[in-house]
Amino acid sequence: RSTPIISLDSIEDYNHQVLSNPSAANCLTLIRFSAPWCQVCRTTTVSFERMAAKLSKGGDIQFCSVVIDSNKPTDAKNVLKDSLGVHAVPTGVLYHPSRGVIGRVNLNRVNLGELKKRLGGYVSGALHRQGEMMWMEALVMGLEVGEKKAGAEKE
């Protein structure tokens, strides 16, 4: 069964498929970090695959996946995870060429459903009409992984 989801195994794959891929030059990219031992990851895999199949057809969104299957910090997938600031699975990293990393989203079942709606609005052009800054913020508003909260706890 073919899938529109690109598997990333290293920073080199990320650089090639996301940062320097000509077909992704104006494309929003959603990178899903998951692990085989994670129950939430397993229960949301089919939903993520269906979302990718539906929303990647127009070429506006590219879907990638990184499966963390080692606990060694030097493993290439863990180096990529750490370089993108991912601290837990399942997490999605949204990247756009004009803005870089837009945000990180917990891809639990509730957020995945909400993100699918928002990405559908992005694909349909509804979010584009609100202005670039607004639609990028709208994609992650309320879904972002609690980095701001974590920073507040340290103080």
Side-chain angles (χ1 to χ4, degrees), residues 76-88:
K77 293 177 187 178
N78 284 323
V79 171
L80 175 58
K81 173 183 73 72
D82 294 342
S83 74
L84 290 175
V86 174
H87 303 292

Side-chain angles (χ1 to χ4, degrees), residues 21-137:
N21 184 351
S23 65
N26 296 311
C27 190
L28 182 68
T29 300
L30 175 60
I31 305 164
R32 178 182 188 243
F33 287 81
S34 64
W37 47 263
C38 168
Q39 182 63 37
V40 176
C41 298
R42 289 196 306 263
T43 60
T44 57
T45 294
V46 172
S47 296
F48 181 76
E49 290 171 351
R50 286 181 181 153
M51 178 173 68
K54 181 178 179 181
L55 297 176
S56 65
K57 290 179 181 163
D60 290 324
I61 304 175
Q62 171 177 269
F63 290 84
C64 299
S65 177
V66 180
V67 178
I68 305 299
D69 49 11
S70 164
N71 62 359
K72 296 178 185 158
T74 56
D75 179 78
K77 293 177 187 178
N78 284 323
V79 171
L80 175 58
K81 173 183 73 72
D82 294 342
S83 74
L84 290 175
V86 174
H87 303 292
V89 292
T91 294
V93 174
L94 280 159
Y95 172 87
H96 192 274
S98 70
R99 292 283 310 268
V101 173
I102 299 167
R104 290 162 194 80
V105 179
N106 181 336
L107 290 180
N108 59 33
R109 186 168 300 284
V110 172
N111 281 357
L112 195 59
E114 182 60 28
L115 184 61
K116 181 179 179 181
K117 288 181 202 169
R118 294 177 186 192
L119 291 175
Y122 172 77
V123 169
S124 73
L127 289 174
H128 291 279
R129 289 188 287 276
Q130 294 177 14
E132 183 173 323
M133 191 70 178
M134 287 179 66
W135 68 255
M136 292 212 185
E137 289 174 1

Side-chain angles (χ1 to χ4, degrees), residues 10-24:
S10 65
I11 288 178
E12 291 76 22
D13 283 354
Y14 172 75
N15 290 338
H16 176 72
Q17 295 293 343
V18 179
L19 301 182
S20 62
N21 184 351
S23 65

